[in-house]
Amino acid sequence: MSLIGRHLIDPNDLTLEETQQIIDLGLKIYKNPADYADVCKGKILGTLFYEPSTRTRLSFESAMLRLGGTILGFSDANTSAVKKGESIADTIRVLDDYADILVMRHPREGAPKLASQYSTVSLINGGDGGHQHPTQTLTDLITIQNYKGKLENLKVAFCGDLLFGRTVHSLLKSLSRYPNMSFILISPPELKIPYHLKDEILHNHNVEIIETNSLETYMPEIDILYMTRIQKERFFNEEEYVKLKDSFILSRDKLENAKKDMLVLHPLPRVNEISYDVDLDPRGKYFEQAKLGVYVRMALISLLLGVIEPC
Amino acid sequence: MSLIGRHLIDPNDLTLEETQQIIDLGLKIYKNPADYADVCKGKILGTLFYEPSTRTRLSFESAMLRLGGTILGFSDANTSAVKKGESIADTIRVLDDYADILVMRHPREGAPKLASQYSTVSLINGGDGGHQHPTQTLTDLITIQNYKGKLENLKVAFCGDLLFGRTVHSLLKSLSRYPNMSFILISPPELKIPYHLKDEILHNHNVEIIETNSLETYMPEIDILYMTRIQKERFFNEEEYVKLKDSFILSRDKLENAKKDMLVLHPLPRVNEISYDVDLDPRGKYFEQAKLGVYVRMALISLLLGVIEPC
Amino acid sequence: MSLIGRHLIDPNDLTLEETQQIIDLGLKIYKNPADYADVCKGKILGTLFYEPSTRTRLSFESAMLRLGGTILGFSDANTSAVKKGESIADTIRVLDDYADILVMRHPREGAPKLASQYSTVSLINGGDGGHQHPTQTLTDLITIQNYKGKLENLKVAFCGDLLFGRTVHSLLKSLSRYPNMSFILISPPELKIPYHLKDEILHNHNVEIIETNSLETYMPEIDILYMTRIQKERFFNEEEYVKLKDSFILSRDKLENAKKDMLVLHPLPRVNEISYDVDLDPRGKYFEQAKLGVYVRMALISLLLGVIEPC
């Protein structure tokens, strides 16, 4: 099925084949960006950020500008008609005339899904509450593909806040569709992945899950270590935040027993869950990951707009 | 008189002939947008929004981008030099060097007029307090022209907050210049149009005005029903707002006695003054109206910059 | 040494020769802007404003757009990852992938310097606290060059808040490197230039300094009168602000004894330190100065990106 005009709300809206198309095109653009510098000439990307997110917004904007397109939008719900009480449906029915493709970040789960039902142009979920963040997942996947050369037969560890972290949820759901995957879920007991997600992964897919509260036990077996921030804003009281935030910090010494070609990934921003000395270790690929995020978004935008044929 | 370099503060700054020029060009662009995709190459639109307005700002930005131009500006007075106590005159004398054409939204009535006196480039009023909003009026006019094929001999009803609604004031003033117009003004007694505006319309023009507080009485005669929001921010107390806000709601059943080719327009955003079931009625043209707003702004920008000859 | 890929944090990061290169190219672009309308095609400027500054931000954005490049960024720390506790180092290591050149405004002194150590693309300081503002200095210098034809042998007076005003500090440091300069420093005793700056200028350079609290005494000798705002936000109490803010106001009558070809400059925004009647005097060049600021930034961006050969 063609990707032209489609919405992307959940990473699993894409089949494995479609996902691979986007990743392959992303890596092709990464190698020869100049070949794609004008493919979106005359096209407008609308960035509808009902919640601030510098990184995601600018990553999309950079992607569109590098394709020769243009951008408009808002970076904050305060500058939008929200304050006047307009429904999302109405907002989208107007904004889809202003742009050729839309990306929406919203604090409320499900808002981008709802919006997509009213949009006449492709709408991409740029993150909705604790729910999904499909382009972060594509970013994670393209990074794994680039450095591991495959998306199967991998032992992937997730560490940190696995309860609220939407990037973890999205990536777990997506990776669990690939053959022969095994997941090590490292978190404090209070921040384990939600039951429904665990059920979904275990029931539907042939995967292995280990849950632990130790960052070190399984280190030597891990192919990919996905670290996440314990987000202050997810906690209800300061005290609990302070108690937990330092529990799962990756420092360089903890990498000693790790595989030489393990990847350390992180959706960023990090606060202190990865020590700065890990930046100097060649296994730390989180900044390369952020960079690849621009290229995978270039691929996604191009395919949804239909300005490039899939590889 | 040429439109090149002119300011647009009040809809009546334009003669009927100039207004028609803009509308005709807008409809021409609407039919063949690709022909105009580069006419503003190298030109910059500055959007100076001292008060947030997603819709108006993005509509202008989309218009400029679709003409091949570029945009800069601010969407919020907080990001501007206002906080440092600079006068509007000084701000404009600097910003008119940064852009080739400016649009200004300001909470204070008269601010765009003042600004235009210091600007060396065309300045468009993007809405000033409860005063004027000339490009909304052009949007309304192009929609009427498109769906009615004329701007005269019409019975136009305005419903809602007619006291504070600047879009109503601007459109009333503009329409009252056309031959053989009749206006039905539907509002609660507290929100009737200001005396001075009524006087201006009645004294200067050969028009008929009926004032009523019933949305249904004149329904069968109406050619165009212009609905408006009762803006919460115009009220001084919550209680009065709650009492009045639901008084003048258009639902689909009320349309039963209306003409088959009546147009329902609305400057948007709507809150609940038009029920969602009206969206399904072919007479509801408010989203088409928003869309045409981009094209009439493309025409306006092109003519003020002198990059296109009038039709 | 080539300017390609360099950072600009302090005006004195540039040799006199490099400064002259930028000024000369700026004046060349000013005379024939159309020749440079496409030199930055495909390049992205990232504007990272951790503190709002309409004028500086839009001046950079206008410069980049007039060179055919594009822009992205934020105008306010609220829309950035700062709130999540990310370090500047991390932010820059991501953002330098999104743009080809960066400009950073930050309330904290030294932040742009720190950022530049992590940036793989040129980073320009757009003003850091009370510290430096090198592109304002370039703006001041190009204006002096344009109207005086030289940057030496000048008697330059600075009036206003000389303690906190970073534009004064930057310009003083820069001008003190030119031959045969003399400075008249006019301020209330509480707002004299910092000792360390005075020492630096006097020890390292062959310049003359006079300190006074009278705006009129030396008026007849002055070649350039650089006025500055007494910034409300620099004061700790309202009372002291009120007492001092009107002390050093330039009105047209005070210009009577001034040289006919004196220049009055001001980094803007002004509040009331220059009376409006001075705007009508041909010596008042502060709006021309703001305009030249766009052209000198066009030159700077072009040279840092290496898209134009130096004159």
Side-chain angles (χ1 to χ4, degrees):
Chain A
M1 201 165 104
S2 163
L3 286 165
I4 300 175
R6 294 257 297 276
H7 305 301
L8 177 56
I9 306 305
D10 183 296
N12 289 4
D13 288 349
L14 300 168
T15 64
L16 289 188
E17 197 186 71
E18 289 164 346
T19 304
Q20 200 61 45
Q21 254 180 36
I22 297 167
I23 291 170
D24 290 346
L25 179 56
L27 290 172
K28 221 172 133 190
I29 300 176
Y30 178 52
K31 271 145 206 159
N32 294 294
D35 291 356
Y36 301 87
D38 280 314
V39 296
C40 282
K41 188 169 183 303
K43 301 290 185 189
I44 302 173
L45 169 72
T47 52
L48 317 181
F49 278 65
Y50 288 83
E51 180 180 67
S53 170
T54 307
R55 195 178 307 278
T56 302
R57 181 173 61 83
L58 296 185
S59 175
F60 269 107
E61 295 187 357
S62 183
M64 190 53 164
L65 295 175
R66 291 195 188 285
L67 293 165
T70 57
I71 50 176
L72 55 73
F74 49 88
S75 55
D76 198 322
N78 284 333
T79 63
S80 89
V82 177
K83 290 201 301 188
K84 296 179 181 162
E86 188 179 51
S87 72
I88 283 183
D90 275 21
T91 302
I92 290 299
R93 277 187 279 192
V94 173
L95 297 185
D96 67 0
D97 293 326
Y98 296 173
D100 300 296
I101 183 168
L102 298 172
V103 54
M104 176 189 271
R105 154 77 54 120
H106 204 286
R108 219 165 62 236
E109 303 182 5
K113 176 81 184 165
L114 175 67
S116 73
Q117 288 157 0
Y118 291 93
S119 177
T120 59
V121 301
S122 285
L123 187 144
I124 302 167
N125 179 5
D128 57 331
H131 201 215
Q132 298 293 337
H133 194 352
T135 58
Q136 179 63 50
T137 300
L138 288 172
T139 299
D140 302 337
L141 295 176
I142 196 176
T143 309
I144 297 171
Q145 175 76 50
N146 190 50
Y147 290 105
K148 286 289 176 196
K150 63 175 181 180
L151 286 163
E152 54 189 36
N153 267 314
L154 293 165
K155 194 164 274 189
V156 186
F158 292 85
C159 176
D161 169 5
L162 309 186
L163 178 58
F164 296 108
R166 70 182 156 209
T167 58
V168 169
H169 302 169
S170 282
L171 183 55
L172 262 173
K173 275 180 69 175
S174 189
L175 282 179
S176 64
R177 301 189 298 171
Y178 290 88
N180 206 17
M181 302 296 286
S182 135
F183 302 122
I184 298 159
L185 306 179
I186 308 159
S187 74
E190 296 88 337
L191 294 175
K192 284 163 82 165
I193 65 164
Y195 284 114
H196 70 85
L197 180 62
K198 192 172 162 188
D199 276 6
E200 192 184 333
I201 294 169
L202 285 176
H203 277 91
N204 296 318
H205 304 286
N206 180 26
V207 299
E208 195 185 85
I209 287 186
I210 294 168
E211 293 189 283
T212 173
N213 63 4
S214 157
L215 177 51
E216 281 143 291
T217 314
Y218 298 91
M219 191 63 89
E221 310 169 20
I222 297 170
D223 293 310
I224 291 149
L225 173 55
Y226 197 90
M227 299 294 298
T228 65
R229 189 160 63 91
I230 297 191
Q231 304 193 354
K232 194 171 185 174
E233 59 267 37
R234 299 294 180 208
F235 284 85
F236 296 105
N237 70 73
E238 185 79 14
E239 197 187 339
E240 198 180 359
Y241 170 70
V242 170
K243 194 184 90 198
L244 287 175
K245 79 182 167 68
D246 293 339
S247 314
F248 298 86
I249 290 179
L250 180 68
S251 53
R252 201 164 184 183
D253 57 295
K254 289 185 189 145
L255 286 173
E256 228 157 73
N257 298 318
K259 290 186 180 175
K260 289 282 164 268
D261 63 348
M262 187 182 79
L263 300 183
V264 181
L265 301 184
H266 191 298
L268 304 180
R270 75 159 148 198
V271 180
N272 61 356
E273 58 280 0
I274 299 180
S275 305
Y276 283 90
D277 56 6
V278 177
D279 299 1
L280 306 170
D281 191 293
R283 286 168 285 198
K285 294 291 189 210
Y286 25 96
F287 292 116
E288 286 80 359
Q289 182 187 3
K291 183 171 192 164
L292 282 162
V294 177
Y295 295 96
V296 85
R297 287 180 176 95
M298 289 172 80
L300 176 64
I301 291 170
S302 300
L303 292 169
L304 296 180
L305 284 173
V307 296
I308 303 184
E309 292 289 307
C311 302
Chain B
M1 200 164 107
S2 163
L3 286 165
I4 300 175
R6 294 256 298 274
H7 305 302
L8 177 57
I9 305 305
D10 183 296
N12 289 3
D13 289 349
L14 301 168
T15 63
L16 289 188
E17 197 187 72
E18 288 164 347
T19 304
Q20 200 61 46
Q21 254 181 37
I22 297 167
I23 290 170
D24 290 346
L25 179 57
L27 289 173
K28 222 172 132 190
I29 299 175
Y30 178 53
K31 271 145 207 160
N32 293 294
D35 292 356
Y36 301 86
D38 279 315
V39 297
C40 283
K41 187 169 182 303
K43 301 289 184 188
I44 301 172
L45 170 71
T47 52
L48 317 181
F49 279 65
Y50 288 84
E51 181 180 64
S53 171
T54 308
R55 198 177 305 276
T56 303
R57 181 171 63 83
L58 295 185
S59 176
F60 268 107
E61 296 187 358
S62 183
M64 190 54 163
L65 294 174
R66 290 195 188 285
L67 292 166
T70 57
I71 51 177
L72 55 73
F74 50 89
S75 55
D76 198 321
N78 284 332
T79 63
S80 88
V82 177
K83 290 201 301 188
K84 296 179 181 163
E86 187 179 54
S87 72
I88 283 182
D90 274 21
T91 302
I92 292 299
R93 277 187 280 192
V94 172
L95 297 184
D96 67 0
D97 293 327
Y98 295 173
D100 300 296
I101 182 167
L102 299 172
V103 54
M104 175 188 272
R105 155 77 54 120
H106 205 286
R108 220 164 60 236
E109 303 183 5
K113 176 81 185 165
L114 175 68
S116 72
Q117 288 158 0
Y118 291 93
S119 177
T120 58
V121 302
S122 285
L123 186 143
I124 301 167
N125 179 4
D128 57 333
H131 201 216
Q132 299 293 336
H133 193 354
T135 59
Q136 179 62 50
T137 301
L138 288 172
T139 299
D140 303 337
L141 295 176
I142 195 176
T143 309
I144 298 172
Q145 175 76 50
N146 190 51
Y147 289 104
K148 286 291 175 194
K150 63 175 182 179
L151 287 163
E152 53 188 37
N153 267 314
L154 293 165
K155 195 164 275 191
V156 186
F158 292 85
C159 176
D161 169 5
L162 309 186
L163 179 58
F164 297 108
R166 70 184 157 208
T167 58
V168 169
H169 302 169
S170 282
L171 183 56
L172 262 173
K173 275 179 69 174
S174 188
L175 282 180
S176 65
R177 301 188 298 171
Y178 289 88
N180 206 18
M181 302 297 285
S182 136
F183 302 122
I184 298 159
L185 307 179
I186 308 160
S187 74
E190 297 88 339
L191 293 175
K192 284 163 79 166
I193 63 164
Y195 284 116
H196 69 87
L197 180 62
K198 192 173 162 187
D199 276 7
E200 191 182 334
I201 295 169
L202 284 175
H203 278 89
N204 296 317
H205 305 285
N206 181 26
V207 298
E208 196 184 83
I209 288 185
I210 293 167
E211 292 189 284
T212 174
N213 63 4
S214 159
L215 178 51
E216 281 144 290
T217 314
Y218 297 90
M219 191 63 90
E221 310 168 21
I222 296 170
D223 293 310
I224 291 149
L225 173 54
Y226 198 91
M227 299 295 297
T228 65
R229 190 161 62 92
I230 298 191
Q231 304 193 353
K232 195 170 183 175
E233 59 266 39
R234 300 295 181 208
F235 284 85
F236 296 105
N237 71 73
E238 186 78 14
E239 196 188 339
E240 198 180 359
Y241 170 70
V242 171
K243 195 184 90 200
L244 287 175
K245 79 183 167 72
D246 292 340
S247 315
F248 298 85
I249 291 179
L250 180 68
S251 52
R252 199 163 185 184
D253 56 295
K254 288 184 189 146
L255 285 174
E256 227 156 74
N257 298 318
K259 291 187 181 176
K260 290 282 164 267
D261 62 349
M262 187 182 80
L263 301 183
V264 180
L265 302 184
H266 192 298
L268 304 180
R270 76 159 147 196
V271 181
N272 60 356
E273 58 280 0
I274 300 180
S275 306
Y276 282 90
D277 56 6
V278 177
D279 300 0
L280 305 170
D281 191 294
R283 287 168 284 199
K285 294 292 190 210
Y286 25 96
F287 292 116
E288 286 80 0
Q289 181 187 3
K291 184 172 191 164
L292 282 162
V294 177
Y295 296 95
V296 85
R297 285 179 177 96
M298 289 172 80
L300 176 65
I301 291 169
S302 300
L303 292 169
L304 296 180
L305 284 173
V307 296
I308 303 184
E309 292 289 307
C311 303
Chain C
M1 201 165 105
S2 164
L3 285 164
I4 300 175
R6 294 256 297 274
H7 305 302
L8 177 57
I9 305 305
D10 182 297
N12 290 4
D13 289 347
L14 301 168
T15 64
L16 289 189
E17 198 187 71
E18 289 164 346
T19 305
Q20 200 61 46
Q21 254 181 36
I22 297 167
I23 291 170
D24 289 347
L25 178 58
L27 290 173
K28 222 172 133 190
I29 300 175
Y30 177 52
K31 271 144 208 162
N32 293 296
D35 291 356
Y36 301 86
D38 280 316
V39 297
C40 283
K41 189 170 181 306
K43 301 291 184 187
I44 302 173
L45 169 72
T47 52
L48 317 180
F49 278 65
Y50 289 83
E51 181 181 65
S53 170
T54 309
R55 196 178 307 277
T56 302
R57 182 172 61 85
L58 296 185
S59 175
F60 269 107
E61 295 187 357
S62 183
M64 190 53 164
L65 295 175
R66 291 194 188 286
L67 293 165
T70 57
I71 50 177
L72 54 73
F74 50 89
S75 55
D76 198 319
N78 285 332
T79 62
S80 89
V82 177
K83 290 201 299 188
K84 297 179 181 164
E86 188 180 51
S87 72
I88 283 182
D90 274 21
T91 302
I92 291 299
R93 278 187 279 192
V94 173
L95 298 184
D96 67 0
D97 293 327
Y98 296 172
D100 301 295
I101 182 168
L102 299 171
V103 53
M104 175 188 272
R105 154 78 55 120
H106 205 286
R108 219 166 62 236
E109 304 183 6
K113 175 80 184 167
L114 175 68
S116 72
Q117 287 158 0
Y118 291 93
S119 177
T120 59
V121 301
S122 286
L123 187 144
I124 302 167
N125 178 5
D128 56 333
H131 200 218
Q132 299 292 337
H133 194 352
T135 58
Q136 179 62 50
T137 301
L138 288 173
T139 299
D140 302 336
L141 296 176
I142 196 176
T143 309
I144 297 172
Q145 176 77 50
N146 190 50
Y147 290 105
K148 287 290 178 195
K150 63 175 183 180
L151 285 164
E152 54 188 38
N153 267 314
L154 292 166
K155 195 164 275 190
V156 186
F158 292 84
C159 175
D161 169 4
L162 309 185
L163 178 57
F164 296 107
R166 71 184 156 207
T167 57
V168 169
H169 302 168
S170 283
L171 183 55
L172 261 173
K173 274 179 69 174
S174 189
L175 281 180
S176 65
R177 300 189 297 171
Y178 289 87
N180 207 17
M181 302 297 286
S182 135
F183 302 122
I184 298 159
L185 307 179
I186 308 160
S187 74
E190 296 88 337
L191 293 175
K192 284 162 79 165
I193 63 164
Y195 284 115
H196 70 87
L197 180 63
K198 192 173 161 186
D199 276 8
E200 191 183 333
I201 294 169
L202 285 175
H203 277 91
N204 296 318
H205 305 285
N206 180 27
V207 298
E208 195 185 85
I209 287 185
I210 294 167
E211 292 188 283
T212 172
N213 63 5
S214 159
L215 177 51
E216 281 144 291
T217 314
Y218 297 91
M219 190 64 88
E221 310 169 21
I222 296 170
D223 293 310
I224 290 149
L225 174 54
Y226 197 90
M227 299 294 300
T228 65
R229 190 160 63 91
I230 297 191
Q231 304 193 353
K232 195 171 183 174
E233 59 266 39
R234 299 296 181 207
F235 285 85
F236 295 106
N237 71 73
E238 186 78 15
E239 196 187 339
E240 198 180 359
Y241 171 70
V242 171
K243 195 183 92 198
L244 286 176
K245 80 183 166 70
D246 292 339
S247 313
F248 298 86
I249 291 178
L250 181 66
S251 51
R252 199 162 184 184
D253 56 293
K254 288 185 188 144
L255 284 174
E256 228 158 73
N257 299 317
K259 291 187 181 175
K260 290 280 163 268
D261 64 348
M262 187 181 79
L263 301 183
V264 181
L265 301 184
H266 191 298
L268 304 180
R270 77 160 146 195
V271 181
N272 60 356
E273 58 280 0
I274 300 180
S275 305
Y276 283 89
D277 57 6
V278 177
D279 299 0
L280 306 170
D281 191 294
R283 286 168 286 199
K285 294 292 190 209
Y286 25 97
F287 292 116
E288 286 80 358
Q289 181 187 3
K291 183 172 191 164
L292 283 162
V294 177
Y295 295 96
V296 86
R297 286 181 176 95
M298 290 171 80
L300 176 65
I301 291 169
S302 300
L303 292 170
L304 296 180
L305 284 173
V307 295
I308 303 184
E309 292 289 307
C311 302

